[in-house]
Amino acid sequence: MGILEKIAEIEKEIARTQKNKATEYHLGLLKAKLAKYRAQLLEPSKSAAGKGEGFDVMKSGDARVALIGFPSVGKSTFLSLMTSTASEAASYEFTTLTCIPGVIEYKGANIQLLDLPGIIEGAAQGKGRGRQVIAVARTSDVVIMMLDATKGEVQRALLEKELESVGIRLNKVKPNIYFKPKKGGGISFNSMVTLTQCSEKLVQLILHEYKIFNAEVLFREDCTPDEFIDVIVGNRVYMPCLYVYNKVDQISMEEVDRLARKPHSVVISCGMKLNLDYLLEMLWEYLALTCIYTKKRGQRPDFSDAIIVRKGASVEHVCHRIHRTLASQFKYALVWGTSTKYSPQRVGLSHLMEHEDVIQVVKK
């Protein structure tokens, strides 16, 4: 019995088991087994023949965005519209067969956009180069899920399921659970809140399934057994995702309104070039990037060349971006902008920068 058959068996068992108090331990164990088998699926096989053609593209620019979706939803058209790269687009499926990178220039930042081949159902098991596509998506900062507005909700649910099964968690935060395996002393279990979905017995059963008999577990929030399994496995990627509904010019206004009001969703039309500017604004928000401008002593700030850092970056991060030795010679910095109480304010390395601040660094 292969891994795929075992996974199918467990999924059937979970589907036909009623969810109630008496079956929660049984379900918890099944979920742990399922996660274990899926992890084995993702590991490259030992007997694999010579290396195949690489699929990933070198990371460049300030951020990386992956375009994921079923074949023929408009990914290549979107890439050609947004960037200066031309990706072949045609009216048949699987026009794109490899990863095609492009660069969006927006607010002084270079955002790398990757046009990936279409995913089909069963991609997580390796159908249609699905594994390589999903592996590239894991390395990006934001996923743009391209959906066909004329197909309704079917595509979104299928794609979420595929990404979920390979450990990509979309628009979720990491569960606040402290977990540390130890050499001995059994399992010490504590929780700071009342747990409604997990119990100590269930936690022990899940840990035993992973052959962990000595560990420290502390729940800081009320989490589900699935979230606890994610913490044990530890290779989960939590990333923001934008659901982009393309081809809205082919559906009714009521349907467009309904889709646009969904959380994390944007409606566009690549054919008629509708709403693309709003999509870029949303993308910038989800990437959480900040522009910082530099200023030399006695000169005006240089607004032509911004330093792009992540939201919540400190003066130290900015110094590292300018030059790696600058932080060690740092004396103080003068900052103008919204992060200061008055302009200019003299600050240290730990001061947090905000969007479009101007900085002047003074060395020792």
Side-chain angles (χ1 to χ4, degrees):
M1 199 178 185
I3 295 179
L4 285 175
E5 286 86 38
K6 284 179 182 172
I7 287 177
E9 277 292 303
I10 293 173
E11 281 177 341
K12 271 185 205 161
E13 176 72 13
I14 289 175
R16 66 169 177 256
T17 306
Q18 284 187 339
K19 286 183 180 67
N20 56 41
K21 264 252 168 74
T23 59
E24 62 178 15
Y25 299 121
H26 178 57
L27 280 171
L29 270 179
L30 288 175
K31 282 173 181 172
K33 275 184 181 158
L34 190 60
K36 213 160 115 186
Y37 287 139
R38 279 182 176 157
Q40 285 174 15
L41 249 193
L42 289 178
E43 285 168 15
S45 57
K46 304 279 187 292
S47 60
K51 277 190 177 176
E53 190 185 320
F55 200 78
D56 205 353
V57 177
M58 194 177 147
K59 213 167 185 174
S60 71
D62 303 297
R64 187 180 215 185
V65 177
L67 275 175
I68 278 188
F70 280 95
S72 291
V73 290
K75 297 187 293 296
S76 300
T77 316
F78 178 72
L79 182 90
S80 307
L81 276 177
M82 288 301 199
T83 67
S84 51
T85 313
S87 180
E88 192 190 341
S91 57
Y92 55 89
E93 297 191 340
F94 293 107
T95 320
T96 309
L97 293 173
T98 179
C99 178
I100 296 171
V103 177
I104 302 175
E105 288 174 9
Y106 186 67
K107 290 190 180 176
N110 290 336
I111 301 164
Q112 187 182 34
L113 188 66
L114 301 179
D115 177 19
L116 298 169
I119 281 184
I120 52 173
E121 206 178 334
Q125 281 87 45
K127 277 188 195 169
R129 297 199 81 178
R131 265 198 228 166
Q132 288 103 312
V133 174
I134 290 170
V136 174
R138 278 177 81 99
T139 62
S140 57
D141 300 303
V142 168
V143 168
I144 287 185
M145 200 181 276
M146 281 295 243
L147 304 162
D148 191 335
T150 56
K151 301 265 172 70
E153 297 298 303
V154 191
Q155 290 190 343
R156 178 169 170 170
L158 283 171
L159 280 173
E160 279 178 343
K161 190 180 159 211
E162 292 297 329
L163 295 180
E164 194 91 359
S165 64
V166 291
I168 296 176
R169 303 283 176 262
L170 302 175
N171 296 325
K172 285 183 184 171
V173 288
K174 204 172 176 188
N176 198 351
I177 300 173
Y178 171 75
F179 169 72
K180 189 183 179 189
K182 294 187 299 187
K183 292 275 188 292
I187 291 169
S188 85
F189 175 85
N190 279 306
S191 65
M192 296 167 98
V193 290
T194 313
L195 298 180
T196 57
Q197 297 151 309
C198 246
S199 67
E200 188 170 352
K201 188 181 167 190
L202 182 55
V203 166
Q204 284 180 346
L205 278 171
I206 292 170
L207 287 171
H208 286 184
E209 183 61 41
Y210 279 93
K211 308 270 190 292
I212 298 169
F213 302 102
N214 303 295
E216 217 174 304
V217 179
L218 171 64
F219 276 72
R220 294 199 182 97
E221 61 182 10
D222 188 13
C223 293
T224 61
D226 291 331
E227 289 173 326
F228 179 58
I229 291 167
D230 286 350
V231 171
I232 300 171
V233 178
N235 64 352
R236 305 299 190 229
V237 184
Y238 296 87
M239 56 170 65
C241 171
L242 258 178
Y243 301 102
V244 177
Y245 291 91
N246 189 18
K247 307 183 185 177
V248 292
D249 49 309
Q250 297 173 20
I251 57 173
S252 66
M253 277 306 289
E254 292 76 25
E255 184 68 4
V256 172
D257 190 52
R258 191 182 69 79
L259 292 175
R261 288 179 192 279
K262 283 182 167 293
H264 315 292
S265 300
V266 181
V267 290
I268 64 162
S269 167
C270 290
M272 295 177 75
K273 298 180 184 174
L274 300 174
N275 212 21
L276 296 175
D277 47 352
Y278 176 66
L279 173 56
L280 271 180
E281 272 176 46
M282 288 290 283
L283 186 59
W284 179 263
E285 211 173 284
Y286 275 62
L287 285 167
L289 295 176
T290 308
C291 295
I292 308 292
Y293 300 107
T294 53
K295 175 187 179 306
K296 287 180 180 170
R297 198 171 184 172
Q299 292 180 16
R300 294 184 70 79
D302 178 16
F303 289 121
S304 61
D305 189 18
I307 294 172
I308 308 291
V309 287
R310 289 291 149 107
K311 206 171 260 180
S314 63
V315 173
E316 191 172 0
H317 289 110
V318 177
C319 289
H320 282 303
R321 284 299 297 269
I322 297 168
H323 197 274
R324 59 175 194 254
T325 60
L326 189 58
S328 55
Q329 303 167 348
F330 179 88
K331 189 177 180 187
Y332 66 88
L334 294 171
V335 175
W336 290 257
T338 52
S339 66
T340 57
K341 291 190 179 77
Y342 44 86
S343 293
Q345 185 175 331
R346 184 173 162 162
V347 298
L349 280 173
S350 59
H351 175 77
L352 297 179
M353 305 293 284
E354 283 180 15
H355 188 48
E356 294 187 335
D357 277 1
V358 175
I359 186 169
Q360 176 189 324
V361 179
V362 178
K363 294 203 287 190
K364 284 173 187 166

